[in-house]
């Protein structure tokens, strides 16, 4: 939408006699090339009027917590972030989400959620809004095995949006070996699975009776459960409806789910840095633009900025890091900055310093001839190998899956899977010459005193660090979920950063805080005694198949 030019509006509202007497500059063809005195005067008045209009407009928008696009002046249709606590206090809402969008959703949906308090639909809406998770809910009481008894009231099949078995007998009579047809009735209190059938989710047409709609990746798919009493194809997933004895243990991500007072939230694990549908580009296609003076090829999801000091900044413009294929080599002594990129091969730096923000690198190798001052500065990054001999390295919110080599190292709120070394040879036990590691995970190092080039090292690991082993959703570089902390990870890592967040590369993504926010929020929206449990479910990454 084109913004309104209030100066032009004022000029058009002036009497025509005054507009005719204005003295604009014109070229020989009679076209205006510069405004006249009256137009310039009204331009000043129009700027003031536009500022007043934007102020009043913003005051009106500050009444609404949710954002709905932008208006003609580029202003968001929603309140400013600093207004959110006041709106929350007005509606008696305690925002739990670490995301601004989640807090806006909590305030905007405060009344509807309270009206639907305790329902499955509200539970899934809260989880999706607060943490941006794809969630499928299972009520624990439905999973508890019940013994048939006299007077047992069996629910009709219509309660499960299914047809009575006798109505489907014509379609089933030609399928021998499946046993009596009444064994498929969804209301039967079965305590054992039916080994003659397979139970799983199957894709159906939208609008089918009893169908549910779930977002898998970027696609919404309608599905329903097939053979509820059959053998589960994916045990312990949202597709597993098999009944079992009540589990009285304290609930966590893997146990205590089958209980009348549990609500199990199956959530797809976060992808981390590796989106399965990430945009990609070959390094050879952008090499001349990055290392030379050429422009980036059109249509790529990248932006390139060159600074006055010769520095080069390459940034991915998509929500997920842009995949860069091939070996990248930098030979010019420039300050290099990379943001929101995924280097699927090796990044070789022969000269210059490197700054990385929100990047994933299979290997960063600094091939410097002599010792240099700080040459690697990484924040919220993931490395498989970080090899920087004769260089100083500064890390914040970084995960290094394998080797870390640096002459000087400072690290904070990071996860180091191997103890840092100074030189490349694997047999060399020298530690970095100097530096400090704080609020991080560091494994046990070589016996003290630590040595560097035959003398005592000034490298220190503070008491705020831990050697607890993390558990990742995936450990293979380039796989969705790589370096994402699993709920089985000790709390000293999931909430061990200096600000209370998680340590490692996913700190800024706030995965653990988002998961905890769902649990804390749902406790206020469930009946007394009910307890929510969040369970990672990898089957939610893949949509169910079509029925055979």
């Amino acid at each position: 939408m084109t913004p309104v030019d209030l100066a032009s509006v004022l000029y058009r509202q002036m009497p025509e006699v005054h507009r005719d007497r204005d003295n604009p500059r014109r070229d020989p063809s009679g076209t205006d090339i510069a405004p006249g005195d009256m137009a310039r005067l009204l331009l000043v008045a129009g700027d003031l009027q536009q500022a007043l209009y934007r102020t009043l407009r913003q005051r009106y928008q500050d009444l609404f917590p949710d954002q709905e696009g932008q208006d003609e002046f580029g202003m968001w249709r929603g309140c400013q972030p600093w207004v959110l606590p006041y709106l929350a206090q007005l509606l008696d809402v305690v925002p739990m989400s670490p995301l601004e969008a989640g807090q806006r959703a909590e305030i905007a949906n405060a009344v509807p959620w309270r009206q639907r308090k305790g329902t499955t639909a509200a539970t899934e809406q809260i989880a999706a809004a607060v943490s941006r998770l794809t969630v499928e809910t299972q009520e624990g009481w439905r999973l508890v095995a019940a013994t048939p008894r006299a007077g047992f009231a069996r629910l009709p099949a219509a309660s499960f949006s299914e047809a009575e078995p006798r109505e489907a007998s014509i379609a089933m009579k030609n399928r021998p070996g499946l046993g009596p047809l009444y064994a498929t009735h969804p209301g039967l209190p079965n305590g054992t699975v039916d080994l003659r059938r397979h139970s799983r989710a199957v894709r159906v047409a939208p609008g089918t009776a009893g169908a549910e709609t779930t977002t898998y990746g970027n696609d919404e798919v309608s599905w329903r459960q097939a053979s509820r009493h059959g053998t589960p194809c994916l045990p312990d997933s949202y597709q597993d409806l098999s009944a079992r004895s009540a589990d009285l243990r304290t609930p966590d991500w893997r146990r205590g789910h089958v209980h009348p007072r549990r609500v199990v939230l199956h959530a797809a694990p976060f992808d981390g840095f590796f989106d399965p549908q990430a945009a990609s580009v070959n390094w050879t296609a952008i090499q001349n633009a990055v290392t030379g003076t050429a422009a980036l090829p059109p249509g790529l999801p990248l932006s390139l900025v060159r600074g006055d000091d010769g520095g080069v900044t390459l940034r991915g413009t998509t929500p997920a890091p842009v995949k860069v294929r091939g070996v990248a080599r930098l030979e010019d002594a420039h300050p290099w900055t990379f943001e929101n990129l995924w280097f699927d091969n090796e990044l070789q730096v022969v000269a210059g310093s490197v700054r990385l923000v929100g990047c994933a690198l299979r290997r960063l190798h600094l091939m410097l001839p002599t010792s240099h001052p700080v040459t690697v500065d990484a924040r919220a990054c993931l490395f498989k190998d970080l090899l920087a001999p004769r260089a100083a390295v500064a890390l914040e919110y970084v995960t290094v899956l394998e080797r870390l080599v640096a002459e000087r190292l400072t690290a904070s709120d990071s996860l180091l899977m191997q103890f840092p070394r100074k030189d490349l040879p694997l047999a060399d036990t020298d530690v970095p010459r100097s530096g400090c590691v704080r609020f991080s995970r560091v494994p046990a190092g070589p016996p003290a005193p630590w040595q560097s080039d035959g003398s005592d090292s000034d490298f220190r690991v503070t008491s705020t660090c831990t050697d607890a082993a993390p558990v990742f959703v995936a450990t293979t570089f380039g796989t969705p979920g790589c370096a994402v902390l699993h709920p089985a990870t000790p709390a000293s890592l999931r909430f061990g950063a200096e600000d209370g967040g998680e340590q490692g590369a996913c700190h800024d993504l706030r995965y653990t805080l988002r998961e905890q926010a769902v649990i804390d929020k749902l406790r206020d929206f469930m009946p007394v005694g009910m307890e929510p449990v969040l369970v990672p479910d990898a089957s939610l990454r893949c949509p169910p198949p079509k029925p055979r």
Side-chain angles (χ1 to χ4, degrees):
M1 185 180 297
T2 304
V4 179
D5 185 359
L6 296 181
S8 300
V9 173
L10 290 175
Y11 188 79
R12 290 195 301 268
Q13 290 178 345
M14 295 296 294
E16 184 176 0
V17 62
H18 296 301
R19 283 184 278 139
D20 291 340
R21 293 176 181 177
D22 200 9
N23 55 345
R25 292 177 53 192
R26 296 185 174 90
D27 59 12
S29 64
T31 304
D32 292 347
I33 59 176
D37 295 336
M38 186 179 69
R40 290 197 298 269
L41 176 63
L42 294 178
L43 181 62
V44 177
D47 290 342
L48 177 60
Q49 188 176 14
Q50 191 157 330
L52 293 173
Y53 175 79
R54 290 171 62 93
T55 300
L56 295 175
R57 183 92 175 184
Q58 184 62 64
R59 186 174 182 180
Y60 170 75
Q61 299 291 357
D62 285 342
L63 300 175
F64 306 98
D66 45 349
Q67 292 182 337
E68 299 179 354
Q70 295 177 317
D71 62 12
E72 63 273 15
F73 293 98
M75 300 171 59
W76 285 101
R77 291 188 175 92
C79 69
Q80 303 172 79
W82 65 268
V83 182
L84 290 175
Y86 298 96
L87 294 178
Q89 185 179 14
L90 180 65
L91 297 174
D92 193 23
V93 176
V94 180
M96 297 292 185
S97 176
L99 306 175
E100 180 185 322
Q103 295 178 7
R104 292 182 181 275
E106 290 182 67
I107 300 172
N109 296 286
V111 174
W113 288 350
R114 285 169 181 163
Q115 293 174 337
R116 298 169 179 83
K117 186 174 182 179
T119 63
T120 302
T123 299
E124 295 185 357
Q125 291 175 8
I126 292 172
V130 172
S131 63
R132 297 300 187 261
L133 283 170
T134 298
V135 170
E136 281 299 325
T137 303
Q138 283 184 337
E139 296 174 289
W141 67 270
R142 294 182 178 272
L143 304 176
V144 178
T147 303
R149 58 191 181 275
F152 183 86
R154 188 188 66 186
L155 292 176
S159 300
F160 302 89
S161 299
E162 295 186 12
E164 293 291 339
R166 60 177 179 273
E167 298 176 6
S169 58
I170 297 177
M172 297 285 292
K173 67 179 181 180
N174 296 323
R175 299 177 63 184
L178 294 182
L181 194 60
Y182 58 77
T184 63
H185 195 290
L188 289 178
N190 288 3
T192 57
V193 297
D194 187 350
L195 301 179
R196 297 164 298 189
R197 296 174 174 83
H198 300 288
S199 176
R200 68 167 305 160
V202 294
R203 192 179 306 193
V204 296
T208 302
E212 298 189 35
T213 302
T214 303
T215 302
Y216 298 89
N218 298 324
D219 301 325
E220 286 191 352
V221 176
S222 296
W223 62 274
R224 63 174 300 164
Q225 192 75 21
S227 302
R228 291 175 178 268
H229 303 313
T231 305
C233 296
L234 299 170
D236 297 327
S237 72
Y238 76 100
Q239 306 179 35
D240 182 4
L241 301 182
S242 57
R244 61 204 79 176
S245 301
D247 190 344
L248 304 181
R249 295 174 292 182
T250 301
D252 59 15
W253 65 274
R254 62 178 175 179
R255 63 186 183 186
H257 303 163
V258 183
H259 192 281
R261 292 191 175 274
R262 305 283 186 265
V263 176
V264 184
L265 306 173
H266 293 269
F270 293 105
D271 291 332
F273 288 84
F274 307 113
D275 189 336
Q277 301 177 352
S280 65
V281 62
N282 201 305
W283 173 255
T284 56
I286 61 174
Q287 181 176 3
N288 293 334
V290 177
T291 61
T293 59
L296 281 174
L300 296 181
L302 299 170
S303 66
L304 182 64
V305 179
R306 293 185 175 87
D308 297 335
D309 58 350
V312 176
T313 300
L314 182 65
R315 181 182 297 108
T317 57
T318 56
V322 177
K323 184 177 181 179
V324 179
R325 308 184 306 274
V327 177
R329 186 178 178 88
L330 307 175
E331 299 182 350
D332 297 329
H334 297 319
W336 304 98
T337 301
F338 299 102
E339 300 179 9
N340 196 35
L341 297 177
W342 162 14
F343 288 91
D344 197 44
N345 209 305
E346 186 175 9
L347 175 61
Q348 301 175 353
V349 181
V350 180
S353 60
V354 179
R355 181 174 177 268
L356 302 163
V357 180
C359 294
L361 298 90
R362 185 177 296 272
R363 171 174 289 185
L364 174 62
H365 193 180
L366 271 70
M367 306 175 180
L368 305 176
T370 59
S371 297
H372 282 66
V374 175
T375 53
V376 177
D377 183 2
R379 189 183 192 281
C381 291
L382 169 63
F383 298 89
K384 182 179 180 182
D385 291 311
L386 200 169
L387 309 178
R390 298 181 298 278
V393 177
L395 307 178
E396 184 180 19
Y397 309 134
V398 169
T399 298
V400 183
L401 298 176
E402 295 184 4
R403 299 184 65 194
L404 170 57
V405 177
E407 182 163 340
R408 291 178 295 276
L409 173 66
T410 58
S412 177
D413 304 294
S414 299
L415 296 176
L416 310 181
M417 303 310 296
Q418 296 185 15
F419 198 84
R421 303 295 181 180
K422 178 182 176 295
D423 297 309
L424 291 176
L426 296 176
D428 196 330
T429 60
D430 283 3
V431 303
R433 179 177 300 176
S434 62
C436 177
V437 180
R438 58 193 291 274
F439 292 99
S440 300
R441 189 270 173 183
V442 186
W450 291 340
Q451 298 291 311
S452 181
D453 292 335
S455 59
D456 290 344
S457 172
D458 292 330
F459 181 70
R460 297 291 182 267
V461 176
T462 67
S463 60
T464 58
C465 296
T466 179
D467 60 354
V471 180
F472 296 129
V473 174
T475 56
T476 303
F477 186 88
T479 303
C482 179
V484 175
L485 295 182
H486 191 274
T489 302
S492 59
L493 303 181
R494 300 185 70 223
F495 306 100
E498 187 176 10
D499 60 358
E502 64 185 283
Q503 297 177 353
C506 298
H507 176 275
D508 287 352
L509 300 175
R510 303 177 182 178
Y511 287 156
T512 59
L513 294 179
R514 288 157 66 176
E515 293 171 346
Q516 188 61 38
V518 173
I519 302 300
D520 294 339
K521 189 70 177 181
L522 287 177
R523 287 197 177 102
D524 294 335
F525 285 85
M526 287 187 175
V528 176
M530 298 297 290
E531 188 170 358
V533 185
L534 191 65
V535 178
D537 190 348
S539 66
L540 280 168
R541 285 178 171 167
C542 181
K546 296 181 179 179
R548 295 181 180 179

